[in-house]
Amino acid sequence: MPSNSPLQSTMFSETFNKEVFDLAQSSGYDYLDNVRDRNVFPSEEALYNLEQFEEELQGSPSTALEVIEKLSLYGAPATVAQVGGRYFGFVNGNSVPAGMAAKQLATFWDQNSGMQVISPLCSKLEVVIQKWLRELFGLPERTVAGFVSGTSAANFCGLAAARYRLLKRQGWDINEQGLFNAPKLRVVAGKHAHSTILKGIGLMGFGKENVEWVDVDDQGRIMADQVPELDDRTILILQAGNVNSGSFDPLEELCARAREANSWVHIDGAFGLWAGAVEKLQYLTKGMEMANSWAVDGHKTLNTPYDCGIALCEDEDALVSALHMTGSYIIIGDERDGMFYTPEMSRRSRIIELWATLRYLGKNGIDEMIFGFHERAKQFANEVSQIEGFQVLNDIVFNQVMVACDTDTLTDRVVARIQDLRDCWVGGASWNGRKIIRVSVCSWATTAEDISISVHSFARALKDCKNHD
Ligand SMILES: *Cc1c(COP(=O)(O)O)cnc(C)c1O
């Protein structure tokens, strides 16, 4: 690089010029100061201004200040205000301040949590968090954790461990011998399994057509008496928290049956597994400790920053073998090398945010925050069902509320109108052939008042749609 290289000159004259970080910081503070009062979804103008990003990649470097200015000017208004109190879309969590601040600090460190030798800090925190999670969820002492991007990846890890173990028991090494001539495994899952389970089934080479799909009841729970005979070649996939209704499969009964049959149970508990850490909601996950693998998110119910998911497995050998990794340059640490528990080698240091969030909340804070989601969800259901023209379709066991209007056409139009009003954000879905509005209470910042404001927006949207008839 020539000594007058613009990169070298800008790097050294600017990155240590704190102005650029100050700008990012003050822009972030402004954002947080106003996020609770602003439109939840970006305005039409903000969306239109996204055109500002449609530019050719320029030839020579610009200044770092200019980059952050542009991002702040056109990026911030075009964000979805997820860190406010009135975002109820999908099952998207907020981020508690301790986690957000830890992420900010860790940004300066840019750790790679692949191996202990690359980041002793991340390695230590992974060991500590693995233990904390075991205790919070009441899982067996031998349970290990892989820290991944989300439950999509965690489901994949659980299914990979299951495939490895069940085939190994048949004398087949999946890593060496592959899938083409492997003994057949069976996969049993409820008809309401999440789409990321379907993705995992596809990636594993099981084939959706080969799954033995089990009927679910009116809340979306797998019907235990419809589950076929289980055996030691079967992966039974259960769910803690239906993505629409928030319902839980009968885990205790089915895990016990699976254990008897020597089947592998994987539980998709993306947001619902956390019920197991809440005293008054623990009954929902009773028996889950008898499963073999679990998938859970930090970024939903726990309110860590995105992206943060956890693969838990009581069979360390199966998980590590399934995600196996070799190379002469790998240096094995004496404590823990995170990459053996995840599909990736290099990973960002999401463990720092997860640690900060858990360390900040503590057991009681987790209990209180998550039970609060449940109470706010019940409040939403109560208030919205008092408005003529809205019906609540599910039992509010956790944090999800399903609302419908008198006809599907009206429900669709009301969802669109609520989104348009931007006082809150909710999405639509179908439930047993009927259109619904989904409400997911998943933010530490959501107050009772936020719920009332949002219900009010529902009422206004319904009125607007009726007036247009
Ligand atoms: C959100 C969700 C997933 C996918 O999790 P990501 O973190 O988005 O990858 C899987 N299963 C259920 C039940 C979910 O709610």
Side-chain angles (χ1 to χ4, degrees):
M1 197 180 280
S3 63
N4 64 346
S5 149
L7 189 58
Q8 226 173 49
S9 59
T10 49
M11 293 259 286
F12 289 99
S13 63
E14 292 212 331
T15 45
F16 295 96
N17 169 354
K18 299 200 180 78
E19 221 184 328
V20 63
F21 295 101
D22 288 344
L23 177 62
Q25 176 107 344
S26 65
S27 171
Y29 285 163
D30 280 351
Y31 186 82
L32 289 182
D33 279 342
N34 298 308
V35 71
R36 295 188 52 84
D37 305 315
R38 62 162 263 188
N39 45 300
V40 176
F41 197 76
S43 67
E44 290 303 329
E45 188 195 356
L47 294 172
Y48 177 79
N49 283 339
L50 284 173
E51 275 188 1
Q52 297 290 333
F53 292 106
E54 284 178 28
E55 53 187 353
E56 296 295 319
L57 181 60
Q58 84 284 3
S60 23
S62 50
T63 65
L65 208 56
E66 188 198 326
V67 171
I68 300 304
E69 259 164 8
K70 177 149 194 167
L71 191 58
S72 167
L73 188 61
Y74 299 113
T79 57
V80 172
Q82 226 173 231
V83 298
R86 294 192 302 279
Y87 187 84
F88 306 106
F90 307 94
V91 186
N92 277 15
N94 192 342
S95 171
V96 298
M100 211 186 252
K103 184 180 182 187
Q104 202 183 9
L105 178 55
T107 295
F108 291 91
W109 304 338
D110 197 24
Q111 296 291 282
N112 174 354
S113 43
M115 293 180 235
Q116 188 181 349
V117 74
I118 308 179
S119 180
L121 167 64
C122 290
S123 173
K124 175 58 79 185
L125 294 180
E126 287 197 6
V127 171
V128 171
I129 300 298
Q130 176 174 277
K131 178 168 166 284
W132 286 358
L133 292 173
R134 239 185 245 143
E135 288 167 7
L136 277 168
F137 294 131
L139 301 180
E141 196 67 31
R142 60 184 179 278
T143 304
V144 292
F147 300 95
V148 292
S149 58
T151 293
S152 306
N155 279 335
F156 173 83
C157 294
L159 294 179
R163 186 180 69 173
Y164 177 86
R165 175 57 67 224
L166 296 195
L167 285 175
K168 192 77 178 169
R169 276 198 214 134
Q170 306 293 322
W172 192 266
D173 183 333
I174 181 73
N175 292 332
E176 299 303 322
Q177 296 168 279
L179 201 57
F180 294 144
N181 297 308
K184 222 172 156 154
L185 297 180
R186 292 169 59 210
V187 178
V188 176
K191 285 187 174 160
H192 274 203
H194 192 264
S195 52
T196 58
I197 288 290
L198 301 184
K199 185 188 279 204
I201 285 168
L203 284 168
M204 281 299 126
F206 296 145
K208 288 168 214 167
E209 275 182 17
N210 301 319
V211 175
E212 297 169 49
W213 296 107
V214 184
D215 282 332
V216 293
D217 66 13
D218 64 337
Q219 299 295 316
R221 292 174 294 222
I222 204 166
M223 284 155 82
D225 59 357
Q226 302 289 309
V227 173
E229 195 73 41
L230 301 173
D231 57 35
D232 63 359
R233 294 180 179 210
T234 305
I235 304 170
L236 173 62
I237 301 172
L238 300 176
Q239 185 161 259
N242 179 294
V243 78
N244 289 313
S245 71
S247 71
F248 291 67
D249 285 341
L251 303 178
E252 190 174 28
E253 179 180 350
L254 290 173
C255 287
R257 261 183 66 186
R259 177 170 278 199
E260 194 107 316
N262 219 4
S263 307
W264 182 288
V265 178
H266 174 76
I267 300 181
D268 173 0
F271 64 99
L273 210 72
W274 290 103
V278 180
E279 203 184 342
K280 292 196 191 101
L281 300 176
Q282 258 166 6
Y283 74 95
L284 293 166
T285 56
K286 193 151 178 266
M288 73 154 160
E289 68 285 353
M290 287 185 278
N292 305 92
S293 56
W294 306 261
V296 61
D297 272 321
H299 56 221
K300 290 179 176 172
T301 321
L302 187 64
N303 279 229
T304 68
Y306 277 88
D307 51 7
C308 179
I310 305 143
L312 292 153
C313 186
E314 58 80 35
D315 183 340
E316 179 172 13
D317 179 55
L319 185 71
V320 172
S321 301
L323 306 172
H324 80 301
M325 174 82 225
T326 52
S328 62
Y329 69 104
I330 288 170
I331 302 171
I332 308 231
D334 52 15
E335 189 149 43
R336 175 189 165 100
D337 298 299
M339 69 179 188
F340 291 123
Y341 303 85
T342 61
E344 309 93 330
M345 184 174 194
S346 301
R347 275 171 312 139
R348 69 178 200 86
S349 58
R350 59 176 68 91
I351 194 68
I352 294 174
E353 299 131 50
L354 181 56
W355 171 81
T357 303
L358 290 170
R359 177 70 177 71
Y360 162 70
L361 289 170
K363 283 184 206 161
N364 296 341
I366 293 168
D367 188 290
E368 195 181 308
M369 179 176 76
I370 299 173
F371 194 68
F373 300 162
H374 175 57
E375 291 194 306
R376 298 282 87 82
K378 282 197 298 186
Q379 182 197 345
F380 204 112
N382 281 338
E383 291 185 11
V384 86
S385 56
Q386 279 161 33
I387 299 167
E388 171 99 31
F390 284 121
Q391 268 178 54
V392 172
L393 301 186
N394 64 318
D395 300 337
I396 315 301
V397 294
F398 198 46
N399 67 328
Q400 302 289 116
V401 186
M402 305 193 307
V403 184
C405 303
D406 294 340
T407 65
D408 282 352
T409 323
L410 190 57
T411 302
D412 279 346
R413 283 169 57 197
V414 169
V415 174
R417 183 66 188 141
I418 296 167
Q419 291 177 354
D420 220 29
L421 289 170
R422 293 171 165 81
D423 296 324
C424 63
W425 201 93
V426 292
S430 288
W431 182 261
N432 296 335
R434 188 169 175 189
K435 291 296 180 80
I436 58 163
I437 311 173
R438 303 175 66 255
V439 180
S440 178
V441 183
C442 216
S443 163
W444 66 268
T446 300
T447 61
E449 197 197 351
D450 284 318
I451 298 292
S452 298
I453 293 171
S454 305
V455 171
H456 189 79
S457 189
F458 271 52
R460 183 171 156 205
L462 180 62
K463 207 165 135 219
D464 289 353
C465 291
K466 285 192 163 161
N467 286 346
H468 267 122
D469 277 342

